[in-house]
Amino acid sequence: MTFDDAAILAELDALRAADAPTHGGRVLSYVYDAGRPDLDELAAQAARRMQAVNGLDPTTFTSVAALERDVLAFACEILGAGTDAAGTVTSGGTESCLLAVKTARDLWRTGGGRGIPRLLAPVTAHAAFRKAAELFDLTFDGVPVDPATGTLDASAITDRLGPDVALVVVSAPSYPFAAMDPIAEVAAACADAGVSCHVDACIGGWVLPFWPDPVAAWNLRVPGVTSLSADLHKYGYAPKGVSVLLHATRDRHRAQYFATTDWPGYPVVNPTLLGSKSAAALAAAWAIIRALGADGFRDLAAQAARATHALRDVVGGIEGLRVVGEPAGPLFAVATDQTVPAARRVDPHHWADRVREAGWMLQQQPGLVQPGGIRLPHTAHLTVTPVTEAGLGELVPALVAAADAVRGVPPVDPASLLAGLPGSLPERLDSDTAGALLAGIGLGGVDAAGVDGGGGGGALPERMAPFLALIEALPHPLTERLLVELLAQLSARSEAGAP
Ligand SMILES: *Cc1c(COP(=O)(O)O)cnc(C)c1O
């Protein structure tokens, strides 16, 4: 049997052409472009060579163990790991975070903990920790941060330490606001209390070690830090599917594993959540580390730092907007400057919508009412990569012009949108009801190819500000259910999907 490979790949290319651009710095989240086609090509070649390998068994496919050893050795060196540290390459940040939580929970139980433990973290800790708490049966105890700066006061965490805390999570830096948590203080208190302390450096881990500006102590060298996550598919510039999780000691690392000989098949020993798994992204990351070395990472970090400084200066100088807090590393959030009169304020979500029309995608983050009732503002998020620097000449005027276009436009009032929803809703929405609610507010009901505009209407509207306002205004469980419906419709069979 033959097949028409050109036609199949042309079909794929047509689908890809509708994607947001992965290269060139137009999308300021999700993708991390070193601006180096030579690195991308090397990564692709390395991944191609591992295509048929099963990472499940490094005793059979010994290359997998060799690659992992090399990657971990480099990670340990740049992340301040001591001689007893040990780690694992995982499939991504979420998996690293999940495993950090599972490991800490198991160690807490081994240490005599009973019942449902707490995972204690600032509300800015990545959502992956809420997912971990849900999956592994912990209570997520989120503590509020400063609404003006997004920063955590160490005492907010240390006051809540107790014998039921299986893990404290701090970030280096946090994703939403790029705030460095007070890691040394929190970790020291954890050590005194005998509580595990994870540093989530998923986004900072491969760039802060090479960052030109001073950064407060954050890595495994800090006393009391028991584990640390760092994503290679972010500032390691690798294709998606690779991260590292390091533990301060070998014994803690071993608690991460699942092993069983209690079935009639092959003995199962899994350091990670998956069984059979790809080693392609591992090989790509390994090759990139080989190619760049510390000097190469430092050059790329310097590029990202120059672009970040330039963008923070520009945004900070735009009347009506402000950079949130004192961001660390190549990311930051932008909020409305409430100190100027309303007519001079710029709403970050309207701003991001206008910036998108000009061809750049900023990420819109909804506001959040924290435990205790203090609200965090809604913001726009920018993740800056080395390639951003080359595009500043176009990006900067676009940011300024977009702010000029929406200055004085008040934030979306969700009341009118909410009027489209029925007053009372059943506890659990079935798919028909959820789909009808989405349609009622003008969302969903898309055929899978038609996301974002495209004439016939898409799953999401062109302007996202009203959508974000709705997310903020509805109760979390309802929004979460509606978003599940929206996403499920995207990959539903066309005849079984939305009406
Ligand atoms: C990206 C990120 C994660 C989750 O990583 P994924 O790779 O998207 O699964 C966790 N924590 C932080 C701080 C992140 O930036």
Side-chain angles (χ1 to χ4, degrees), residues 32 91-97 124-129 131 170-176 198 200-204 229 231 233-234 240-243 331 381 383:
Y32 300 76
S91 66
T94 297
E95 193 179 31
S96 291
C97 299
T124 47
H126 194 276
F129 292 98
K131 183 180 193 173
V170 278
S171 305
S174 74
Y175 184 86
H198 179 78
D200 180 10
C202 277
I203 199 153
S229 50
D231 291 352
H233 64 200
K234 287 178 180 156
K240 292 294 178 254
V242 59
S243 170
L331 55 154
H381 178 107
T383 295

PDB file of all heavy atoms in Angstrom, residues 32 91-97 124-129 131 170-176 198 200-204 229 231 233-234 240-243 331 381 383, ligand 1:
ATOM      1  N   TYR A  32       8.571  29.792  23.495  1.00  0.00           N
ATOM      2  CA  TYR A  32       9.835  30.363  23.968  1.00  0.00           C
ATOM      3  C   TYR A  32      10.840  30.250  22.844  1.00  0.00           C
ATOM      4  O   TYR A  32      11.444  29.207  22.639  1.00  0.00           O
ATOM      5  CB  TYR A  32      10.299  29.615  25.238  1.00  0.00           C
ATOM      6  CG  TYR A  32       9.287  29.725  26.349  1.00  0.00           C
ATOM      7  CD1 TYR A  32       8.115  28.971  26.330  1.00  0.00           C
ATOM      8  CD2 TYR A  32       9.463  30.618  27.394  1.00  0.00           C
ATOM      9  CE1 TYR A  32       7.156  29.118  27.327  1.00  0.00           C
ATOM     10  CE2 TYR A  32       8.517  30.763  28.395  1.00  0.00           C
ATOM     11  CZ  TYR A  32       7.363  30.007  28.356  1.00  0.00           C
ATOM     12  OH  TYR A  32       6.416  30.153  29.335  1.00  0.00           O
ATOM     13  N   SER A  91       7.839  15.123  31.791  1.00  0.00           N
ATOM     14  CA  SER A  91       7.246  15.540  30.508  1.00  0.00           C
ATOM     15  C   SER A  91       6.851  17.008  30.488  1.00  0.00           C
ATOM     16  O   SER A  91       6.312  17.488  29.495  1.00  0.00           O
ATOM     17  CB  SER A  91       6.024  14.680  30.209  1.00  0.00           C
ATOM     18  OG  SER A  91       5.006  14.942  31.168  1.00  0.00           O
ATOM     19  N   GLY A  92       7.056  17.732  31.597  1.00  0.00           N
ATOM     20  CA  GLY A  92       6.684  19.148  31.582  1.00  0.00           C
ATOM     21  C   GLY A  92       6.510  19.674  32.986  1.00  0.00           C
ATOM     22  O   GLY A  92       6.640  18.946  33.977  1.00  0.00           O
ATOM     23  N   GLY A  93       6.227  20.963  33.065  1.00  0.00           N
ATOM     24  CA  GLY A  93       6.112  21.605  34.364  1.00  0.00           C
ATOM     25  C   GLY A  93       5.025  20.998  35.222  1.00  0.00           C
ATOM     26  O   GLY A  93       5.213  20.773  36.427  1.00  0.00           O
ATOM     27  N   THR A  94       3.884  20.755  34.615  1.00  0.00           N
ATOM     28  CA  THR A  94       2.790  20.191  35.404  1.00  0.00           C
ATOM     29  C   THR A  94       3.205  18.856  36.006  1.00  0.00           C
ATOM     30  O   THR A  94       2.963  18.599  37.195  1.00  0.00           O
ATOM     31  CB  THR A  94       1.521  20.050  34.547  1.00  0.00           C
ATOM     32  OG1 THR A  94       1.110  21.351  34.130  1.00  0.00           O
ATOM     33  CG2 THR A  94       0.396  19.387  35.324  1.00  0.00           C
ATOM     34  N   GLU A  95       3.849  18.017  35.214  1.00  0.00           N
ATOM     35  CA  GLU A  95       4.244  16.719  35.760  1.00  0.00           C
ATOM     36  C   GLU A  95       5.293  16.877  36.861  1.00  0.00           C
ATOM     37  O   GLU A  95       5.250  16.173  37.881  1.00  0.00           O
ATOM     38  CB  GLU A  95       4.759  15.771  34.672  1.00  0.00           C
ATOM     39  CG  GLU A  95       4.868  14.335  35.203  1.00  0.00           C
ATOM     40  CD  GLU A  95       5.356  13.323  34.195  1.00  0.00           C
ATOM     41  OE1 GLU A  95       6.158  13.689  33.306  1.00  0.00           O
ATOM     42  OE2 GLU A  95       4.948  12.151  34.300  1.00  0.00           O
ATOM     43  N   SER A  96       6.216  17.815  36.691  1.00  0.00           N
ATOM     44  CA  SER A  96       7.205  18.059  37.757  1.00  0.00           C
ATOM     45  C   SER A  96       6.500  18.488  39.045  1.00  0.00           C
ATOM     46  O   SER A  96       6.833  18.021  40.139  1.00  0.00           O
ATOM     47  CB  SER A  96       8.200  19.140  37.328  1.00  0.00           C
ATOM     48  OG  SER A  96       9.045  18.673  36.296  1.00  0.00           O
ATOM     49  N   CYS A  97       5.525  19.387  38.909  1.00  0.00           N
ATOM     50  CA  CYS A  97       4.798  19.868  40.090  1.00  0.00           C
ATOM     51  C   CYS A  97       3.981  18.740  40.721  1.00  0.00           C
ATOM     52  O   CYS A  97       3.962  18.579  41.952  1.00  0.00           O
ATOM     53  CB  CYS A  97       3.889  21.043  39.719  1.00  0.00           C
ATOM     54  SG  CYS A  97       4.776  22.487  39.078  1.00  0.00           S
ATOM     55  N   THR A 124      -0.703  32.787  44.147  1.00  0.00           N
ATOM     56  CA  THR A 124      -0.004  32.935  42.873  1.00  0.00           C
ATOM     57  C   THR A 124       0.753  31.680  42.452  1.00  0.00           C
ATOM     58  O   THR A 124       1.298  31.641  41.347  1.00  0.00           O
ATOM     59  CB  THR A 124       1.002  34.095  42.973  1.00  0.00           C
ATOM     60  OG1 THR A 124       1.727  33.932  44.201  1.00  0.00           O
ATOM     61  CG2 THR A 124       0.307  35.444  42.964  1.00  0.00           C
ATOM     62  N   ALA A 125       0.803  30.664  43.322  1.00  0.00           N
ATOM     63  CA  ALA A 125       1.442  29.401  42.925  1.00  0.00           C
ATOM     64  C   ALA A 125       0.697  28.871  41.705  1.00  0.00           C
ATOM     65  O   ALA A 125      -0.521  29.027  41.582  1.00  0.00           O
ATOM     66  CB  ALA A 125       1.388  28.390  44.058  1.00  0.00           C
ATOM     67  N   HIS A 126       1.422  28.240  40.817  1.00  0.00           N
ATOM     68  CA  HIS A 126       0.823  27.801  39.554  1.00  0.00           C
ATOM     69  C   HIS A 126      -0.370  26.870  39.785  1.00  0.00           C
ATOM     70  O   HIS A 126      -0.395  26.086  40.738  1.00  0.00           O
ATOM     71  CB  HIS A 126       1.880  27.088  38.712  1.00  0.00           C
ATOM     72  CG  HIS A 126       1.476  26.899  37.283  1.00  0.00           C
ATOM     73  ND1 HIS A 126       0.698  25.849  36.870  1.00  0.00           N
ATOM     74  CD2 HIS A 126       1.715  27.651  36.188  1.00  0.00           C
ATOM     75  CE1 HIS A 126       0.490  25.947  35.565  1.00  0.00           C
ATOM     76  NE2 HIS A 126       1.099  27.037  35.124  1.00  0.00           N
ATOM     77  N   ALA A 127      -1.333  26.965  38.876  1.00  0.00           N
ATOM     78  CA  ALA A 127      -2.544  26.143  38.954  1.00  0.00           C
ATOM     79  C   ALA A 127      -2.234  24.645  39.017  1.00  0.00           C
ATOM     80  O   ALA A 127      -3.048  23.857  39.522  1.00  0.00           O
ATOM     81  CB  ALA A 127      -3.436  26.437  37.752  1.00  0.00           C
ATOM     82  N   ALA A 128      -1.060  24.254  38.540  1.00  0.00           N
ATOM     83  CA  ALA A 128      -0.694  22.835  38.589  1.00  0.00           C
ATOM     84  C   ALA A 128      -0.728  22.303  40.023  1.00  0.00           C
ATOM     85  O   ALA A 128      -0.961  21.107  40.244  1.00  0.00           O
ATOM     86  CB  ALA A 128       0.696  22.629  37.986  1.00  0.00           C
ATOM     87  N   PHE A 129      -0.515  23.184  41.015  1.00  0.00           N
ATOM     88  CA  PHE A 129      -0.538  22.724  42.411  1.00  0.00           C
ATOM     89  C   PHE A 129      -1.963  22.515  42.906  1.00  0.00           C
ATOM     90  O   PHE A 129      -2.210  21.686  43.777  1.00  0.00           O
ATOM     91  CB  PHE A 129       0.263  23.674  43.301  1.00  0.00           C
ATOM     92  CG  PHE A 129       1.726  23.610  42.976  1.00  0.00           C
ATOM     93  CD1 PHE A 129       2.307  24.555  42.146  1.00  0.00           C
ATOM     94  CD2 PHE A 129       2.500  22.550  43.431  1.00  0.00           C
ATOM     95  CE1 PHE A 129       3.647  24.465  41.806  1.00  0.00           C
ATOM     96  CE2 PHE A 129       3.843  22.452  43.095  1.00  0.00           C
ATOM     97  CZ  PHE A 129       4.417  23.418  42.276  1.00  0.00           C
ATOM     98  N   LYS A 131      -4.220  21.426  40.849  1.00  0.00           N
ATOM     99  CA  LYS A 131      -4.482  20.152  40.178  1.00  0.00           C
ATOM    100  C   LYS A 131      -3.901  18.995  40.993  1.00  0.00           C
ATOM    101  O   LYS A 131      -4.555  17.967  41.206  1.00  0.00           O
ATOM    102  CB  LYS A 131      -3.851  20.189  38.783  1.00  0.00           C
ATOM    103  CG  LYS A 131      -4.080  18.971  37.930  1.00  0.00           C
ATOM    104  CD  LYS A 131      -3.384  19.206  36.582  1.00  0.00           C
ATOM    105  CE  LYS A 131      -3.808  18.206  35.537  1.00  0.00           C
ATOM    106  NZ  LYS A 131      -3.248  18.576  34.209  1.00  0.00           N
ATOM    107  N   VAL A 170       6.653  27.635  46.974  1.00  0.00           N
ATOM    108  CA  VAL A 170       6.978  29.030  46.650  1.00  0.00           C
ATOM    109  C   VAL A 170       7.510  29.064  45.218  1.00  0.00           C
ATOM    110  O   VAL A 170       7.937  28.028  44.691  1.00  0.00           O
ATOM    111  CB  VAL A 170       8.018  29.624  47.632  1.00  0.00           C
ATOM    112  CG1 VAL A 170       7.367  30.090  48.919  1.00  0.00           C
ATOM    113  CG2 VAL A 170       9.133  28.628  47.931  1.00  0.00           C
ATOM    114  N   SER A 171       7.480  30.237  44.605  1.00  0.00           N
ATOM    115  CA  SER A 171       7.816  30.311  43.183  1.00  0.00           C
ATOM    116  C   SER A 171       9.010  31.220  42.914  1.00  0.00           C
ATOM    117  O   SER A 171       9.220  32.214  43.602  1.00  0.00           O
ATOM    118  CB  SER A 171       6.624  30.840  42.387  1.00  0.00           C
ATOM    119  OG  SER A 171       5.478  30.061  42.622  1.00  0.00           O
ATOM    120  N   ALA A 172       9.757  30.867  41.878  1.00  0.00           N
ATOM    121  CA  ALA A 172      10.937  31.640  41.481  1.00  0.00           C
ATOM    122  C   ALA A 172      10.954  31.847  39.970  1.00  0.00           C
ATOM    123  O   ALA A 172      11.669  31.152  39.276  1.00  0.00           O
ATOM    124  CB  ALA A 172      12.211  30.909  41.932  1.00  0.00           C
ATOM    125  N   PRO A 173      10.238  32.824  39.449  1.00  0.00           N
ATOM    126  CA  PRO A 173       9.236  33.643  40.127  1.00  0.00           C
ATOM    127  C   PRO A 173       7.848  33.067  39.866  1.00  0.00           C
ATOM    128  O   PRO A 173       7.719  32.070  39.153  1.00  0.00           O
ATOM    129  CB  PRO A 173       9.390  34.999  39.408  1.00  0.00           C
ATOM    130  CG  PRO A 173       9.695  34.600  37.980  1.00  0.00           C
ATOM    131  CD  PRO A 173      10.485  33.308  38.069  1.00  0.00           C
ATOM    132  N   SER A 174       6.815  33.741  40.398  1.00  0.00           N
ATOM    133  CA  SER A 174       5.442  33.315  40.153  1.00  0.00           C
ATOM    134  C   SER A 174       5.079  33.605  38.701  1.00  0.00           C
ATOM    135  O   SER A 174       5.583  34.560  38.103  1.00  0.00           O
ATOM    136  CB  SER A 174       4.472  34.056  41.064  1.00  0.00           C
ATOM    137  OG  SER A 174       4.297  35.397  40.652  1.00  0.00           O
ATOM    138  N   TYR A 175       4.211  32.766  38.141  1.00  0.00           N
ATOM    139  CA  TYR A 175       3.819  33.007  36.759  1.00  0.00           C
ATOM    140  C   TYR A 175       2.976  34.277  36.606  1.00  0.00           C
ATOM    141  O   TYR A 175       3.265  35.109  35.728  1.00  0.00           O
ATOM    142  CB  TYR A 175       3.065  31.794  36.172  1.00  0.00           C
ATOM    143  CG  TYR A 175       2.751  32.005  34.716  1.00  0.00           C
ATOM    144  CD1 TYR A 175       3.678  31.676  33.735  1.00  0.00           C
ATOM    145  CD2 TYR A 175       1.559  32.601  34.313  1.00  0.00           C
ATOM    146  CE1 TYR A 175       3.430  31.920  32.393  1.00  0.00           C
ATOM    147  CE2 TYR A 175       1.307  32.857  32.972  1.00  0.00           C
ATOM    148  CZ  TYR A 175       2.242  32.504  32.015  1.00  0.00           C
ATOM    149  OH  TYR A 175       2.000  32.762  30.704  1.00  0.00           O
ATOM    150  N   PRO A 176       1.927  34.475  37.432  1.00  0.00           N
ATOM    151  CA  PRO A 176       1.027  35.598  37.116  1.00  0.00           C
ATOM    152  C   PRO A 176       1.708  36.971  37.159  1.00  0.00           C
ATOM    153  O   PRO A 176       1.431  37.808  36.296  1.00  0.00           O
ATOM    154  CB  PRO A 176      -0.062  35.505  38.189  1.00  0.00           C
ATOM    155  CG  PRO A 176      -0.012  34.096  38.680  1.00  0.00           C
ATOM    156  CD  PRO A 176       1.417  33.677  38.555  1.00  0.00           C
ATOM    157  N   HIS A 198       8.889  23.185  48.369  1.00  0.00           N
ATOM    158  CA  HIS A 198       9.190  23.091  46.941  1.00  0.00           C
ATOM    159  C   HIS A 198       9.342  24.481  46.332  1.00  0.00           C
ATOM    160  O   HIS A 198       8.484  25.339  46.555  1.00  0.00           O
ATOM    161  CB  HIS A 198       8.075  22.339  46.204  1.00  0.00           C
ATOM    162  CG  HIS A 198       8.311  22.223  44.726  1.00  0.00           C
ATOM    163  ND1 HIS A 198       9.185  21.308  44.191  1.00  0.00           N
ATOM    164  CD2 HIS A 198       7.822  22.932  43.674  1.00  0.00           C
ATOM    165  CE1 HIS A 198       9.208  21.446  42.866  1.00  0.00           C
ATOM    166  NE2 HIS A 198       8.383  22.430  42.527  1.00  0.00           N
ATOM    167  N   ASP A 200       9.039  26.282  42.931  1.00  0.00           N
ATOM    168  CA  ASP A 200       8.589  26.132  41.553  1.00  0.00           C
ATOM    169  C   ASP A 200       9.341  27.143  40.696  1.00  0.00           C
ATOM    170  O   ASP A 200       8.992  28.320  40.643  1.00  0.00           O
ATOM    171  CB  ASP A 200       7.074  26.341  41.454  1.00  0.00           C
ATOM    172  CG  ASP A 200       6.598  26.176  40.017  1.00  0.00           C
ATOM    173  OD1 ASP A 200       7.404  25.715  39.184  1.00  0.00           O
ATOM    174  OD2 ASP A 200       5.433  26.518  39.730  1.00  0.00           O
ATOM    175  N   ALA A 201      10.388  26.636  40.068  1.00  0.00           N
ATOM    176  CA  ALA A 201      11.171  27.470  39.146  1.00  0.00           C
ATOM    177  C   ALA A 201      10.912  26.981  37.727  1.00  0.00           C
ATOM    178  O   ALA A 201      11.811  26.990  36.881  1.00  0.00           O
ATOM    179  CB  ALA A 201      12.646  27.417  39.494  1.00  0.00           C
ATOM    180  N   CYS A 202       9.682  26.551  37.486  1.00  0.00           N
ATOM    181  CA  CYS A 202       9.354  26.042  36.151  1.00  0.00           C
ATOM    182  C   CYS A 202       9.697  27.075  35.090  1.00  0.00           C
ATOM    183  O   CYS A 202      10.305  26.775  34.077  1.00  0.00           O
ATOM    184  CB  CYS A 202       7.871  25.664  36.067  1.00  0.00           C
ATOM    185  SG  CYS A 202       7.555  24.008  36.712  1.00  0.00           S
ATOM    186  N   ILE A 203       9.332  28.337  35.358  1.00  0.00           N
ATOM    187  CA  ILE A 203       9.595  29.356  34.334  1.00  0.00           C
ATOM    188  C   ILE A 203      10.954  30.031  34.545  1.00  0.00           C
ATOM    189  O   ILE A 203      11.583  30.460  33.582  1.00  0.00           O
ATOM    190  CB  ILE A 203       8.446  30.388  34.270  1.00  0.00           C
ATOM    191  CG1 ILE A 203       8.498  31.120  32.923  1.00  0.00           C
ATOM    192  CG2 ILE A 203       8.456  31.379  35.436  1.00  0.00           C
ATOM    193  CD1 ILE A 203       7.181  31.648  32.454  1.00  0.00           C
ATOM    194  N   GLY A 204      11.406  30.103  35.791  1.00  0.00           N
ATOM    195  CA  GLY A 204      12.666  30.798  36.039  1.00  0.00           C
ATOM    196  C   GLY A 204      13.901  29.913  36.000  1.00  0.00           C
ATOM    197  O   GLY A 204      15.018  30.410  35.856  1.00  0.00           O
ATOM    198  N   SER A 229      11.505  22.540  40.656  1.00  0.00           N
ATOM    199  CA  SER A 229      11.123  22.184  39.285  1.00  0.00           C
ATOM    200  C   SER A 229      11.594  23.268  38.319  1.00  0.00           C
ATOM    201  O   SER A 229      11.559  24.454  38.652  1.00  0.00           O
ATOM    202  CB  SER A 229       9.604  22.016  39.184  1.00  0.00           C
ATOM    203  OG  SER A 229       8.923  23.141  39.754  1.00  0.00           O
ATOM    204  N   ASP A 231      11.540  24.010  33.934  1.00  0.00           N
ATOM    205  CA  ASP A 231      11.070  23.488  32.638  1.00  0.00           C
ATOM    206  C   ASP A 231      12.050  23.736  31.501  1.00  0.00           C
ATOM    207  O   ASP A 231      12.322  24.879  31.142  1.00  0.00           O
ATOM    208  CB  ASP A 231       9.747  24.154  32.248  1.00  0.00           C
ATOM    209  CG  ASP A 231       8.599  23.742  33.144  1.00  0.00           C
ATOM    210  OD1 ASP A 231       8.787  22.822  33.964  1.00  0.00           O
ATOM    211  OD2 ASP A 231       7.509  24.334  32.997  1.00  0.00           O
ATOM    212  N   HIS A 233      11.257  22.997  28.484  1.00  0.00           N
ATOM    213  CA  HIS A 233      10.489  23.462  27.315  1.00  0.00           C
ATOM    214  C   HIS A 233      10.047  24.929  27.456  1.00  0.00           C
ATOM    215  O   HIS A 233       9.254  25.413  26.675  1.00  0.00           O
ATOM    216  CB  HIS A 233       9.328  22.527  26.974  1.00  0.00           C
ATOM    217  CG  HIS A 233       8.252  22.405  28.006  1.00  0.00           C
ATOM    218  ND1 HIS A 233       7.379  21.328  28.034  1.00  0.00           N
ATOM    219  CD2 HIS A 233       7.882  23.209  29.032  1.00  0.00           C
ATOM    220  CE1 HIS A 233       6.526  21.501  29.025  1.00  0.00           C
ATOM    221  NE2 HIS A 233       6.804  22.616  29.643  1.00  0.00           N
ATOM    222  N   LYS A 234      10.594  25.632  28.459  1.00  0.00           N
ATOM    223  CA  LYS A 234      10.446  27.087  28.497  1.00  0.00           C
ATOM    224  C   LYS A 234      11.817  27.692  28.131  1.00  0.00           C
ATOM    225  O   LYS A 234      12.189  27.667  26.980  1.00  0.00           O
ATOM    226  CB  LYS A 234       9.919  27.532  29.861  1.00  0.00           C
ATOM    227  CG  LYS A 234       8.430  27.156  30.004  1.00  0.00           C
ATOM    228  CD  LYS A 234       7.850  27.506  31.336  1.00  0.00           C
ATOM    229  CE  LYS A 234       6.381  27.104  31.376  1.00  0.00           C
ATOM    230  NZ  LYS A 234       5.917  26.891  32.760  1.00  0.00           N
ATOM    231  N   LYS A 240       8.086  21.122  23.320  1.00  0.00           N
ATOM    232  CA  LYS A 240       7.260  20.803  24.485  1.00  0.00           C
ATOM    233  C   LYS A 240       7.411  19.331  24.882  1.00  0.00           C
ATOM    234  O   LYS A 240       7.526  18.443  24.036  1.00  0.00           O
ATOM    235  CB  LYS A 240       5.794  21.094  24.187  1.00  0.00           C
ATOM    236  CG  LYS A 240       5.505  22.576  24.036  1.00  0.00           C
ATOM    237  CD  LYS A 240       5.701  23.355  25.346  1.00  0.00           C
ATOM    238  CE  LYS A 240       5.443  24.832  25.144  1.00  0.00           C
ATOM    239  NZ  LYS A 240       6.693  25.635  25.125  1.00  0.00           N
ATOM    240  N   GLY A 241       7.362  19.128  26.203  1.00  0.00           N
ATOM    241  CA  GLY A 241       7.417  17.763  26.719  1.00  0.00           C
ATOM    242  C   GLY A 241       8.646  17.476  27.553  1.00  0.00           C
ATOM    243  O   GLY A 241       9.039  16.318  27.696  1.00  0.00           O
ATOM    244  N   VAL A 242       9.256  18.504  28.173  1.00  0.00           N
ATOM    245  CA  VAL A 242      10.447  18.194  28.973  1.00  0.00           C
ATOM    246  C   VAL A 242      10.700  19.238  30.065  1.00  0.00           C
ATOM    247  O   VAL A 242      10.629  20.437  29.838  1.00  0.00           O
ATOM    248  CB  VAL A 242      11.684  17.970  28.052  1.00  0.00           C
ATOM    249  CG1 VAL A 242      11.985  19.190  27.201  1.00  0.00           C
ATOM    250  CG2 VAL A 242      12.900  17.537  28.850  1.00  0.00           C
ATOM    251  N   SER A 243      10.936  18.722  31.266  1.00  0.00           N
ATOM    252  CA  SER A 243      11.158  19.519  32.475  1.00  0.00           C
ATOM    253  C   SER A 243      12.035  18.693  33.397  1.00  0.00           C
ATOM    254  O   SER A 243      12.216  17.489  33.170  1.00  0.00           O
ATOM    255  CB  SER A 243       9.790  19.795  33.121  1.00  0.00           C
ATOM    256  OG  SER A 243       9.914  20.356  34.421  1.00  0.00           O
ATOM    257  N   LEU A 331       9.618  38.138  32.483  1.00  0.00           N
ATOM    258  CA  LEU A 331       8.162  38.174  32.374  1.00  0.00           C
ATOM    259  C   LEU A 331       7.647  39.255  33.306  1.00  0.00           C
ATOM    260  O   LEU A 331       8.320  39.612  34.273  1.00  0.00           O
ATOM    261  CB  LEU A 331       7.526  36.807  32.693  1.00  0.00           C
ATOM    262  CG  LEU A 331       7.828  36.117  34.008  1.00  0.00           C
ATOM    263  CD1 LEU A 331       6.688  35.191  34.395  1.00  0.00           C
ATOM    264  CD2 LEU A 331       9.114  35.311  33.924  1.00  0.00           C
ATOM    265  N   HIS A 381      -0.351  39.805  30.660  1.00  0.00           N
ATOM    266  CA  HIS A 381       0.921  39.148  30.986  1.00  0.00           C
ATOM    267  C   HIS A 381       1.801  39.093  29.743  1.00  0.00           C
ATOM    268  O   HIS A 381       1.331  38.758  28.664  1.00  0.00           O
ATOM    269  CB  HIS A 381       0.618  37.722  31.472  1.00  0.00           C
ATOM    270  CG  HIS A 381       1.823  36.905  31.789  1.00  0.00           C
ATOM    271  ND1 HIS A 381       2.192  36.607  33.069  1.00  0.00           N
ATOM    272  CD2 HIS A 381       2.759  36.345  30.997  1.00  0.00           C
ATOM    273  CE1 HIS A 381       3.304  35.893  33.048  1.00  0.00           C
ATOM    274  NE2 HIS A 381       3.655  35.721  31.805  1.00  0.00           N
ATOM    275  N   THR A 383       5.374  37.356  28.460  1.00  0.00           N
ATOM    276  CA  THR A 383       6.553  36.517  28.620  1.00  0.00           C
ATOM    277  C   THR A 383       7.504  36.872  27.480  1.00  0.00           C
ATOM    278  O   THR A 383       7.141  36.780  26.310  1.00  0.00           O
ATOM    279  CB  THR A 383       6.179  35.018  28.560  1.00  0.00           C
ATOM    280  OG1 THR A 383       5.342  34.715  29.674  1.00  0.00           O
ATOM    281  CG2 THR A 383       7.415  34.149  28.631  1.00  0.00           C
TER     282      THR A 383
HETATM  283  C1  LIG B   1       4.631  26.817  33.077  1.00  0.00           C
HETATM  284  C2  LIG B   1       4.607  26.734  34.545  1.00  0.00           C
HETATM  285  C3  LIG B   1       4.151  25.580  35.208  1.00  0.00           C
HETATM  286  C4  LIG B   1       3.473  24.426  34.514  1.00  0.00           C
HETATM  287  O1  LIG B   1       4.153  23.984  33.458  1.00  0.00           O
HETATM  288  P1  LIG B   1       3.611  23.294  32.139  1.00  0.00           P
HETATM  289  O2  LIG B   1       4.888  23.045  31.464  1.00  0.00           O
HETATM  290  O3  LIG B   1       2.735  24.264  31.406  1.00  0.00           O
HETATM  291  O4  LIG B   1       2.894  22.062  32.500  1.00  0.00           O
HETATM  292  C5  LIG B   1       4.271  25.558  36.586  1.00  0.00           C
HETATM  293  N1  LIG B   1       4.754  26.601  37.268  1.00  0.00           N
HETATM  294  C6  LIG B   1       5.162  27.738  36.662  1.00  0.00           C
HETATM  295  C7  LIG B   1       5.686  28.870  37.491  1.00  0.00           C
HETATM  296  C8  LIG B   1       5.095  27.844  35.285  1.00  0.00           C
HETATM  297  O5  LIG B   1       5.482  28.972  34.682  1.00  0.00           O
END
